[in-house]
Amino acid sequence: MTGAVESRSPAPVAARVFSDEERQALYDVIAHRRDVRNEFLPDPVDEDVLRRILGAAHAAPSVGLSQPWDFILLRDPARRAQVRAAFTRANEAAQAMFPPEKRSAYAALKLEGIEKAPLNICVTCDRTRGGPVVLGRTHQPETDLYSTVCAVQNLWLAARAEGIGIGWVSIFDEADLRPILGLPAHVRVVAYLCMGHVKELFDGPELEARGWARARTLDAHIREEGW
């Protein structure tokens, strides 16, 4: 040996084996995840808990390890009032898109918790992150957006495990949110989330409980070898 550090190629290590209880806990969290609108409590989210949840989001897979997401934390009531006004404008336009017989049912739905939840999070995608050519995006450029959605799902499940509800508000014109949040042109809004503690949740999808739609079975979505 000459004292030089020996070069070694990276190699995988033994995969962790999870217990029956750990596996079941994961499936339970997935099964009991809900899209929360009206059940938020006013209690603030503890900063350590928030860091754990954001850490889970940041651990999501990303194309080319680009990690294109950012998390804009919104607590200011005045700014959130601006966001809610943008939602209200879009929601009125959305209601008019449905057939007349559905509009009253639509109007009765609670579709956001922007001001009721103690914290809002806007999850964005920086479409320039990783440079002009990103491994894995060469033929599917939208995979950076998909990666950011994976981060949202991680965040949602981690929050549920912590006893915290998440509501995804999608009824916006992105152009209305941009000046409120000061977003650069190359950054896209992927998800606007409401976050807060919950004690009560619907026992299943709320839209199904309210008769808006029915969930389909897994078998209806499984195909073999092709469409």
Side-chain angles (χ1 to χ4, degrees), residues 95-108 212:
Q95 182 178 346
M97 296 177 188
F98 288 92
E101 64 271 15
K102 296 278 283 186
R103 290 175 191 167
S104 60
Y106 181 93
W212 181 266

Side-chain angles (χ1 to χ4, degrees), residues 205 208 213-223:
E208 186 168 43
R214 290 185 62 83
R216 297 194 297 176
T217 65
L218 171 61
D219 288 338
H221 295 270
I222 297 176
R223 305 178 190 274

Side-chain angles (χ1 to χ4, degrees), residues 20-35:
D20 292 343
E21 291 77 12
E22 289 171 321
R23 288 195 299 274
Q24 188 58 52
L26 174 60
Y27 290 121
D28 286 346
V29 169
I30 292 171
H32 291 273
R33 180 209 57 79
R34 294 291 177 265
D35 195 1

Side-chain angles (χ1 to χ4, degrees), residues 123-134:
V123 185
T124 61
C125 177
D126 183 342
R127 307 214 68 190
T128 67
R129 196 162 293 165
V133 181
V134 176

